[in-house]
Amino acid sequence: MGHDEPREIAVLGAGGVGGLVGALLVRAGSDVTFVARGATAEALDRDGLHVRSAQLGDLDVAVRATTHLDSPVDVLLVAVKQTGLADALDLVAPEALADGVVVPLLNGVEHLDLLRARYGSARVLPAVIRVEATRVAPGEIVHGSPFVEIDLAPGDVAAEKVEAVRTLLAGAGITTTVRADEAALVWAKLSFLAPLALLTTRHRATVGEVRTAHRSELETLVAEVAAVAAASGAASDPAAALALYDRFPAGARSSMERDAEAGRPLEVDAIGGAVVRAAERHGVAAPLTARLVADLS
Ligand SMILES: NC(=O)C1=CN([C@@H]2O[C@H](COP(=O)(O)OP(=O)(O)OC[C@H]3O[C@@H](n4cnc5c(N)ncnc54)[C@H](OP(=O)(O)O)[C@@H]3O)[C@@H](O)[C@H]2O)C=CC1
Ligand SMILES: CC(C)(CO)C(=O)C(=O)O
Protein backbone atom coordinates (compact mmCIF):
# COMPACT_ATOMS: atom_id res chain seq x y z
CA MET A 1 0.00 0.00 0.00
CA GLY A 2 1.62 3.27 -1.09
CA HIS A 3 0.20 6.43 0.41
CA ASP A 4 -1.16 7.69 -2.91
CA GLU A 5 -3.09 4.52 -3.82
CA PRO A 6 -6.87 4.18 -3.56
CA ARG A 7 -7.86 2.75 -0.24
CA GLU A 8 -10.06 -0.16 0.68
CA ILE A 9 -10.91 0.12 4.35
CA ALA A 10 -12.68 -2.29 6.69
CA VAL A 11 -13.99 -1.33 10.12
CA LEU A 12 -14.53 -4.13 12.63
CA GLY A 13 -17.01 -2.82 15.23
CA ALA A 14 -19.61 -0.30 14.14
CA GLY A 15 -20.06 1.28 17.58
CA GLY A 16 -19.27 4.79 18.77
CA VAL A 17 -15.63 4.83 17.65
CA GLY A 18 -15.88 2.60 14.56
CA GLY A 19 -19.07 4.30 13.38
CA LEU A 20 -17.63 7.80 13.73
CA VAL A 21 -14.24 7.07 12.15
CA GLY A 22 -15.84 4.95 9.41
CA ALA A 23 -18.35 7.69 8.55
CA LEU A 24 -15.56 10.29 8.36
CA LEU A 25 -13.64 8.03 5.97
CA VAL A 26 -16.74 7.54 3.79
CA ARG A 27 -17.24 11.31 3.72
CA ALA A 28 -13.62 11.71 2.59
CA GLY A 29 -14.22 9.32 -0.32
CA SER A 30 -12.74 6.05 0.99
CA ASP A 31 -14.27 2.73 0.15
CA VAL A 32 -15.37 1.45 3.58
CA THR A 33 -16.84 -1.92 4.54
CA PHE A 34 -18.13 -2.47 8.06
CA VAL A 35 -17.62 -5.96 9.46
CA ALA A 36 -20.41 -6.48 11.96
CA ARG A 37 -22.72 -9.04 13.51
CA GLY A 38 -26.00 -9.87 11.77
CA ALA A 39 -28.44 -7.33 13.21
CA THR A 40 -26.00 -4.42 13.02
CA ALA A 41 -24.84 -5.38 9.51
CA GLU A 42 -28.48 -5.47 8.35
CA ALA A 43 -29.27 -2.09 9.93
CA LEU A 44 -26.20 -0.48 8.36
CA ASP A 45 -26.94 -1.88 4.90
CA ARG A 46 -30.58 -0.84 5.13
CA ASP A 47 -30.46 2.53 6.90
CA GLY A 48 -26.86 3.75 6.55
CA LEU A 49 -24.87 5.51 9.22
CA HIS A 50 -25.89 8.75 10.93
CA VAL A 51 -23.51 10.81 13.05
CA ARG A 52 -24.60 13.79 15.14
CA SER A 53 -21.62 15.99 15.96
CA ALA A 54 -21.37 19.58 17.16
CA GLN A 55 -17.72 19.67 16.05
CA LEU A 56 -17.97 18.07 12.62
CA GLY A 57 -21.54 18.69 11.57
CA ASP A 58 -24.05 15.93 10.97
CA LEU A 59 -23.16 13.09 8.64
CA ASP A 60 -25.63 10.78 6.93
CA VAL A 61 -23.92 8.23 4.70
CA ALA A 62 -24.87 5.02 2.94
CA VAL A 63 -22.50 2.20 3.91
CA ARG A 64 -21.74 -1.39 3.03
CA ALA A 65 -21.64 -4.06 5.73
CA THR A 66 -20.68 -7.71 5.82
CA THR A 67 -20.63 -10.39 8.50
CA HIS A 68 -17.16 -11.67 7.43
CA LEU A 69 -14.32 -9.93 5.67
CA ASP A 70 -14.02 -11.79 2.40
CA SER A 71 -11.84 -9.61 0.21
CA PRO A 72 -8.49 -7.96 0.98
CA VAL A 73 -8.31 -4.43 2.33
CA ASP A 74 -5.50 -1.93 2.77
CA VAL A 75 -6.50 -1.01 6.31
CA LEU A 76 -8.56 -2.78 8.97
CA LEU A 77 -9.64 -0.52 11.83
CA VAL A 78 -10.49 -2.53 14.93
CA ALA A 79 -13.06 -0.77 17.13
CA VAL A 80 -14.75 -3.44 19.21
CA LYS A 81 -14.52 -3.51 22.99
CA GLN A 82 -11.83 -5.73 24.48
CA THR A 83 -14.59 -7.92 25.93
CA GLY A 84 -15.72 -8.83 22.38
CA LEU A 85 -12.33 -8.81 20.67
CA ALA A 86 -11.52 -12.52 20.56
CA ASP A 87 -14.93 -13.40 19.06
CA ALA A 88 -14.89 -10.46 16.66
CA LEU A 89 -11.51 -11.47 15.22
CA ASP A 90 -13.14 -14.67 13.95
CA LEU A 91 -14.81 -12.42 11.36
CA VAL A 92 -11.45 -11.43 9.87
CA ALA A 93 -9.26 -14.39 8.94
CA PRO A 94 -5.55 -13.56 8.51
CA GLU A 95 -5.72 -14.79 4.88
CA ALA A 96 -8.66 -12.45 4.17
CA LEU A 97 -6.65 -9.50 5.41
CA ALA A 98 -3.82 -10.26 2.95
CA ASP A 99 -1.35 -7.34 3.08
CA GLY A 100 -3.63 -5.00 5.02
CA VAL A 101 -2.55 -3.02 8.07
CA VAL A 102 -4.50 -3.55 11.31
CA VAL A 103 -5.08 -0.34 13.28
CA PRO A 104 -6.57 -1.08 16.73
CA LEU A 105 -8.44 1.78 18.37
CA LEU A 106 -9.25 -0.09 21.58
CA ASN A 107 -8.33 1.22 24.97
CA GLY A 108 -5.82 -0.83 26.95
CA VAL A 109 -2.35 -2.21 26.25
CA GLU A 110 -2.60 -5.99 26.09
CA HIS A 111 -4.71 -6.37 22.90
CA LEU A 112 -1.62 -5.65 20.80
CA ASP A 113 -0.13 -9.05 21.70
CA LEU A 114 -3.33 -10.83 20.64
CA LEU A 115 -3.48 -8.99 17.31
CA ARG A 116 0.21 -9.55 16.59
CA ALA A 117 -0.13 -13.27 17.32
CA ARG A 118 -3.02 -13.51 14.84
CA TYR A 119 -1.93 -11.17 12.02
CA GLY A 120 1.86 -10.83 12.49
CA SER A 121 3.60 -7.82 14.00
CA ALA A 122 4.48 -6.30 10.60
CA ARG A 123 0.73 -5.80 10.03
CA VAL A 124 -0.29 -4.34 13.42
CA LEU A 125 0.03 -0.56 13.75
CA PRO A 126 -0.41 0.54 17.40
CA ALA A 127 -2.87 3.41 17.79
CA VAL A 128 -4.95 5.24 20.36
CA ILE A 129 -7.96 7.48 19.86
CA ARG A 130 -9.09 10.41 21.99
CA VAL A 131 -12.75 11.14 21.40
CA GLU A 132 -16.14 10.77 23.06
CA ALA A 133 -18.50 8.92 20.72
CA THR A 134 -21.59 6.93 21.64
CA ARG A 135 -23.58 4.46 19.58
CA VAL A 136 -27.17 5.20 20.65
CA ALA A 137 -28.74 2.66 18.23
CA PRO A 138 -27.34 0.56 15.39
CA GLY A 139 -25.98 3.05 12.84
CA GLU A 140 -26.72 6.07 15.09
CA ILE A 141 -23.67 7.77 16.60
CA VAL A 142 -23.43 10.84 18.82
CA HIS A 143 -20.03 12.53 18.88
CA GLY A 144 -19.69 14.64 22.03
CA SER A 145 -16.05 15.74 22.34
CA PRO A 146 -14.86 18.85 20.50
CA PHE A 147 -12.02 16.79 18.96
CA VAL A 148 -11.18 13.46 17.29
CA GLU A 149 -7.51 12.60 17.66
CA ILE A 150 -5.60 9.47 16.74
CA ASP A 151 -1.97 8.83 17.64
CA LEU A 152 0.00 6.09 15.87
CA ALA A 153 3.35 4.46 16.70
CA PRO A 154 5.11 2.48 13.96
CA GLY A 155 5.84 -0.71 15.89
CA ASP A 156 7.09 -3.16 13.25
CA VAL A 157 5.05 -1.68 10.39
CA ALA A 158 6.92 -0.38 7.32
CA ALA A 159 7.36 3.40 7.28
CA GLU A 160 5.45 3.90 4.01
CA LYS A 161 2.43 2.03 5.38
CA VAL A 162 2.49 4.14 8.56
CA GLU A 163 2.53 7.28 6.44
CA ALA A 164 -0.30 5.94 4.27
CA VAL A 165 -2.48 5.39 7.35
CA ARG A 166 -1.60 8.82 8.74
CA THR A 167 -2.51 10.48 5.43
CA LEU A 168 -5.75 8.51 5.21
CA LEU A 169 -6.92 9.49 8.71
CA ALA A 170 -5.77 13.11 8.45
CA GLY A 171 -7.55 13.38 5.09
CA ALA A 172 -10.77 12.36 6.83
CA GLY A 173 -10.48 15.29 9.25
CA ILE A 174 -8.98 13.36 12.18
CA THR A 175 -6.05 15.00 13.94
CA THR A 176 -3.42 12.30 13.45
CA THR A 177 0.07 12.21 14.92
CA VAL A 178 2.83 9.61 14.60
CA ARG A 179 4.73 9.08 17.85
CA ALA A 180 8.09 7.36 17.97
CA ASP A 181 7.55 5.17 20.99
CA GLU A 182 4.85 2.52 21.31
CA ALA A 183 5.10 2.19 25.11
CA ALA A 184 4.76 5.95 25.50
CA LEU A 185 1.76 5.95 23.13
CA VAL A 186 -0.29 3.30 24.89
CA TRP A 187 0.65 4.29 28.42
CA ALA A 188 -0.06 7.98 27.82
CA LYS A 189 -3.64 7.03 26.90
CA LEU A 190 -3.98 4.54 29.75
CA SER A 191 -2.53 6.99 32.30
CA PHE A 192 -5.28 9.41 31.36
CA LEU A 193 -8.06 6.90 30.81
CA ALA A 194 -7.72 4.35 33.63
CA PRO A 195 -8.24 6.89 36.46
CA LEU A 196 -11.16 8.48 34.63
CA ALA A 197 -12.87 5.25 33.57
CA LEU A 198 -12.53 3.65 37.01
CA LEU A 199 -13.80 6.70 38.89
CA THR A 200 -16.64 7.64 36.53
CA THR A 201 -17.83 4.04 36.69
CA ARG A 202 -17.35 3.54 40.43
CA HIS A 203 -19.21 6.78 41.26
CA ARG A 204 -21.54 6.70 38.20
CA ALA A 205 -20.29 10.22 37.54
CA THR A 206 -19.53 12.49 34.60
CA VAL A 207 -16.03 13.69 33.72
CA GLY A 208 -16.92 17.08 35.28
CA GLU A 209 -18.03 15.47 38.57
CA VAL A 210 -14.90 13.33 38.78
CA ARG A 211 -12.52 16.23 38.22
CA THR A 212 -14.24 18.31 40.92
CA ALA A 213 -16.07 16.20 43.53
CA HIS A 214 -13.61 13.26 43.33
CA ARG A 215 -10.46 15.29 42.66
CA SER A 216 -8.29 13.84 45.41
CA GLU A 217 -9.01 10.22 44.39
CA LEU A 218 -8.37 11.28 40.79
CA GLU A 219 -4.98 12.73 41.69
CA THR A 220 -4.02 9.61 43.66
CA LEU A 221 -4.97 7.34 40.75
CA VAL A 222 -3.15 9.50 38.22
CA ALA A 223 0.00 9.30 40.36
CA GLU A 224 -0.31 5.51 40.73
CA VAL A 225 -0.80 4.87 37.01
CA ALA A 226 1.99 7.31 36.10
CA ALA A 227 4.37 5.35 38.35
CA VAL A 228 3.33 2.07 36.67
CA ALA A 229 3.78 3.67 33.23
CA ALA A 230 7.26 4.88 34.17
CA ALA A 231 8.18 1.39 35.38
CA SER A 232 6.84 0.01 32.07
CA GLY A 233 9.29 2.16 30.12
CA ALA A 234 7.00 5.08 29.30
CA ALA A 235 7.99 8.54 30.50
CA SER A 236 4.96 9.83 32.35
CA ASP A 237 3.63 13.26 33.15
CA PRO A 238 0.86 13.23 35.77
CA ALA A 239 0.26 16.97 35.33
CA ALA A 240 -0.33 16.50 31.59
CA ALA A 241 -2.81 13.69 32.29
CA LEU A 242 -4.68 15.90 34.78
CA ALA A 243 -4.73 18.81 32.31
CA LEU A 244 -6.27 16.58 29.62
CA TYR A 245 -9.43 16.06 31.70
CA ASP A 246 -10.19 19.76 31.40
CA ARG A 247 -10.50 19.45 27.61
CA PHE A 248 -13.67 17.37 27.95
CA PRO A 249 -17.06 19.03 28.39
CA ALA A 250 -18.17 18.70 32.03
CA GLY A 251 -21.05 16.41 31.01
CA ALA A 252 -18.83 13.97 29.07
CA ARG A 253 -19.03 10.33 30.14
CA SER A 254 -16.55 7.49 29.80
CA SER A 255 -17.41 4.51 27.62
CA MET A 256 -16.98 2.24 30.66
CA GLU A 257 -19.52 4.20 32.69
CA ARG A 258 -21.99 4.12 29.79
CA ASP A 259 -21.53 0.35 29.62
CA ALA A 260 -22.17 0.05 33.36
CA GLU A 261 -25.32 2.15 33.02
CA ALA A 262 -26.55 -0.09 30.19
CA GLY A 263 -25.67 -3.34 31.99
CA ARG A 264 -23.09 -4.32 29.33
CA PRO A 265 -19.78 -6.09 30.11
CA LEU A 266 -17.10 -3.66 31.32
CA GLU A 267 -13.53 -3.28 30.01
CA VAL A 268 -12.29 -3.20 33.63
CA ASP A 269 -9.76 -5.94 33.01
CA ALA A 270 -8.30 -4.36 29.86
CA ILE A 271 -8.11 -0.88 31.38
CA GLY A 272 -7.64 -1.35 35.16
CA GLY A 273 -6.54 -5.00 35.33
CA ALA A 274 -3.71 -4.28 32.89
CA VAL A 275 -2.43 -1.51 35.18
CA VAL A 276 -2.59 -3.79 38.24
CA ARG A 277 -0.75 -6.60 36.41
CA ALA A 278 1.97 -4.22 35.23
CA ALA A 279 2.26 -2.79 38.78
CA GLU A 280 2.75 -6.33 40.15
CA ARG A 281 5.32 -7.19 37.46
CA HIS A 282 7.37 -4.10 38.29
CA GLY A 283 6.85 -4.08 42.07
CA VAL A 284 5.07 -0.72 42.04
CA ALA A 285 2.35 0.03 44.62
CA ALA A 286 -1.06 0.85 43.12
CA PRO A 287 -3.48 0.21 46.00
CA LEU A 288 -6.33 2.50 44.96
CA THR A 289 -6.26 1.18 41.38
CA ALA A 290 -6.34 -2.40 42.68
CA ARG A 291 -9.25 -1.63 45.02
CA LEU A 292 -11.34 0.00 42.29
CA VAL A 293 -10.62 -2.86 39.88
CA ALA A 294 -11.70 -5.36 42.55
CA ASP A 295 -14.86 -3.32 43.32
CA LEU A 296 -15.85 -3.19 39.65
CA SER A 297 -14.97 -6.78 38.69
N1 LIG B 1 -16.63 5.44 22.83
C1 LIG B 1 -15.63 6.25 23.08
O1 LIG B 1 -15.83 7.46 23.24
C2 LIG B 1 -14.23 5.71 23.14
C3 LIG B 1 -13.98 4.36 23.10
N2 LIG B 1 -12.69 3.92 23.06
C4 LIG B 1 -12.40 2.50 22.96
O2 LIG B 1 -12.77 2.08 21.67
C5 LIG B 1 -13.19 0.71 21.72
C6 LIG B 1 -14.60 0.63 21.11
O3 LIG B 1 -15.47 1.33 21.97
P1 LIG B 1 -16.90 1.85 21.53
O4 LIG B 1 -16.88 2.30 20.13
O5 LIG B 1 -17.36 2.76 22.58
O6 LIG B 1 -17.73 0.48 21.59
P2 LIG B 1 -19.28 0.24 21.29
O7 LIG B 1 -19.79 -0.62 22.39
O8 LIG B 1 -19.97 1.49 20.96
O9 LIG B 1 -19.22 -0.60 19.95
C7 LIG B 1 -18.60 -1.83 19.89
C8 LIG B 1 -19.02 -2.49 18.58
O10 LIG B 1 -18.35 -3.74 18.56
C9 LIG B 1 -19.24 -4.69 18.07
N3 LIG B 1 -18.94 -6.04 18.52
C10 LIG B 1 -18.89 -6.52 19.78
N4 LIG B 1 -18.63 -7.83 19.77
C11 LIG B 1 -18.53 -8.18 18.46
C12 LIG B 1 -18.29 -9.41 17.80
N5 LIG B 1 -18.08 -10.54 18.47
N6 LIG B 1 -18.26 -9.41 16.46
C13 LIG B 1 -18.45 -8.26 15.77
N7 LIG B 1 -18.69 -7.05 16.33
C14 LIG B 1 -18.73 -7.04 17.67
C15 LIG B 1 -20.60 -4.27 18.57
O11 LIG B 1 -21.48 -4.92 17.71
P3 LIG B 1 -23.07 -4.98 17.84
O12 LIG B 1 -23.50 -3.79 17.05
O13 LIG B 1 -23.42 -6.28 17.21
O14 LIG B 1 -23.40 -4.88 19.29
C16 LIG B 1 -20.51 -2.76 18.46
O15 LIG B 1 -20.96 -2.32 17.21
C17 LIG B 1 -13.15 0.30 23.19
O16 LIG B 1 -11.93 -0.36 23.47
C18 LIG B 1 -13.21 1.63 23.92
O17 LIG B 1 -12.61 1.57 25.20
C19 LIG B 1 -11.63 4.78 23.01
C20 LIG B 1 -11.84 6.12 23.07
C21 LIG B 1 -13.15 6.69 23.20
C1 LIG C 1 -12.56 9.06 28.22
C2 LIG C 1 -12.61 8.81 26.74
C3 LIG C 1 -13.91 9.34 26.19
C4 LIG C 1 -11.44 9.60 26.12
O1 LIG C 1 -11.13 9.35 24.82
C5 LIG C 1 -12.41 7.36 26.44
O2 LIG C 1 -11.42 6.95 25.88
C6 LIG C 1 -13.42 6.35 26.85
O3 LIG C 1 -14.36 6.68 27.50
O4 LIG C 1 -13.21 5.17 26.53
Side-chain angles (χ1 to χ4, degrees):
M1 181 183 65
H3 70 266
D4 52 356
E5 289 170 16
R7 285 165 188 82
E8 299 278 343
I9 316 300
V11 178
L12 177 61
V17 166
L20 173 65
V21 174
L24 289 172
L25 289 167
V26 172
R27 180 177 72 169
S30 291
D31 190 348
V32 180
T33 301
F34 284 89
V35 185
R37 293 186 285 203
T40 296
E42 275 169 33
L44 290 174
D45 265 337
R46 187 184 58 236
D47 304 326
L49 193 48
H50 309 279
V51 176
R52 301 286 158 257
S53 166
Q55 185 207 0
L56 304 162
D58 293 347
L59 272 168
D60 298 287
V61 293
V63 294
R64 194 173 51 242
T66 178
T67 54
H68 279 90
L69 187 69
D70 49 16
S71 60
V73 290
D74 294 318
V75 177
L76 171 74
L77 296 167
V78 181
V80 296
K81 293 258 165 66
Q82 182 271 342
T83 45
L85 180 62
D87 286 345
L89 293 182
D90 285 344
L91 310 185
V92 183
E95 317 74 76
L97 187 61
D99 244 2
V101 179
V102 180
V103 183
L105 299 175
L106 288 80
N107 280 318
V109 292
E110 295 170 346
H111 57 275
L112 289 169
D113 287 344
L114 180 66
L115 290 167
R116 285 176 165 143
R118 183 166 174 82
Y119 299 111
S121 63
R123 292 201 279 182
V124 177
L125 178 55
V128 297
I129 183 165
R130 288 180 295 280
V131 72
E132 186 205 15
T134 309
R135 197 265 304 263
V136 292
E140 305 276 343
I141 313 294
V142 176
H143 169 218
S145 55
F147 49 82
V148 190
E149 298 171 350
I150 292 182
D151 290 353
L152 308 168
D156 295 328
V157 174
E160 70 274 12
K161 291 192 174 190
V162 178
E163 178 54 17
V165 172
R166 192 200 64 74
T167 308
L168 172 80
L169 296 171
I174 297 166
T175 307
T176 309
T177 308
V178 179
R179 311 264 174 214
D181 181 351
E182 175 181 327
L185 174 91
V186 291
W187 277 101
K189 176 72 197 275
L190 203 56
S191 303
F192 155 78
L193 178 72
L196 191 69
L198 294 173
L199 287 178
T200 49
T201 309
R202 178 68 183 82
H203 297 297
R204 294 294 173 96
T206 61
V207 173
E209 287 159 352
V210 160
R211 71 185 174 218
T212 52
H214 303 285
R215 184 91 193 171
S216 103
E217 269 186 313
L218 181 64
E219 288 176 0
T220 302
L221 276 183
V222 166
E224 286 185 8
V225 184
V228 178
S232 305
S236 67
D237 182 350
L242 279 171
L244 267 181
Y245 301 125
D246 293 330
R247 297 178 59 212
F248 283 84
R253 298 165 66 196
S254 72
S255 55
M256 193 190 288
E257 187 272 330
R258 280 194 303 267
D259 284 339
E261 197 66 38
R264 292 187 292 257
L266 305 183
E267 287 182 304
V268 174
D269 188 62
I271 292 170
V275 175
V276 172
R277 284 187 286 279
E280 283 165 359
R281 271 198 310 279
H282 296 292
V284 173
L288 181 55
T289 313
R291 181 161 62 72
L292 288 168
V293 169
D295 286 353
L296 292 170
S297 297

